[in-house]
Amino acid sequence: MRRALKQRVGRRQLIALETELLAELRAIKHRVPHLAGGLVASVDGLLVAHDTHGTEPSGLAAMTAASLGLAQRLADSTGQGEFRESLVRGEHGYVATYAAGGSCVLTLLAHPDANVGRLHLEARRSAQRITALVNDALLPKDAREH
């Protein structure tokens, strides 16, 4: 993903995209109480942007891709259609993953007292914004002007 972005967009545009993605991660952190952090990763496990503390983001991006592949197969083989989101509840909190277009995923870490309904609502909105940001960066410049 990062390589594809680097090949298709200039360095300044890539830096601008990362800045916008980081701003979106920070914004959702402010909108959802008890959210510990999050990241945007490519579907092949490469870290694109992160706002995580206490978690190694590159490893989490790789694990996100692995779990995404399994979740996609599970949804497909059970007739549930295209993957949209998954939620893992552990003893110490939640790991939620949301599709962000065809090339990225949004992964959020939340404390156990997080409001899961609010988490889903805000994360779905953020995933749509992330999709738009990434798609806009990948569109040729002349296509964006029309």
Side-chain angles (χ1 to χ4, degrees):
M1 170 69 187
R2 287 179 73 86
R3 181 178 296 140
L5 280 172
K6 285 180 182 179
Q7 290 173 349
R8 294 173 116 177
V9 302
R11 180 172 167 76
R12 284 181 194 216
Q13 201 173 355
L14 183 59
I15 291 169
L17 174 62
E18 289 180 40
T19 301
E20 290 172 324
L21 292 173
L22 185 56
E24 183 60 37
L25 289 171
R26 289 182 176 153
I28 191 171
K29 200 170 178 181
H30 288 291
R31 291 189 310 265
V32 179
H34 310 290
L35 190 63
L39 62 80
V40 177
S42 67
V43 294
D44 55 356
L46 298 174
L47 182 64
V48 179
H50 76 93
D51 182 22
T52 58
H53 305 285
T55 303
E56 201 281 305
S58 294
L60 181 57
M63 286 187 285
T64 293
S67 97
L68 174 67
L70 181 59
Q72 286 173 327
R73 287 181 55 203
L74 183 62
D76 185 52
S77 67
T78 58
Q80 303 306 313
E82 190 175 332
F83 170 81
R84 296 285 185 239
E85 60 195 49
S86 68
L87 180 70
V88 175
R89 179 177 177 223
E91 181 180 357
H92 301 292
Y94 300 92
V95 179
T97 302
Y98 302 85
S103 59
C104 287
V105 291
L106 168 65
T107 295
L108 300 172
L109 307 174
H111 298 287
D113 49 352
N115 179 323
V116 176
R118 177 79 181 266
L119 173 69
H120 284 318
L121 177 70
E122 296 294 344
R124 290 169 185 153
R125 291 175 180 165
S126 282
Q128 289 176 340
R129 285 189 285 275
I130 289 166
T131 299
L133 289 169
V134 171
N135 287 345
D136 191 45
L138 292 175
L139 281 176
K141 186 177 179 180
D142 58 334
R144 278 184 266 144
E145 293 171 355
H146 296 291

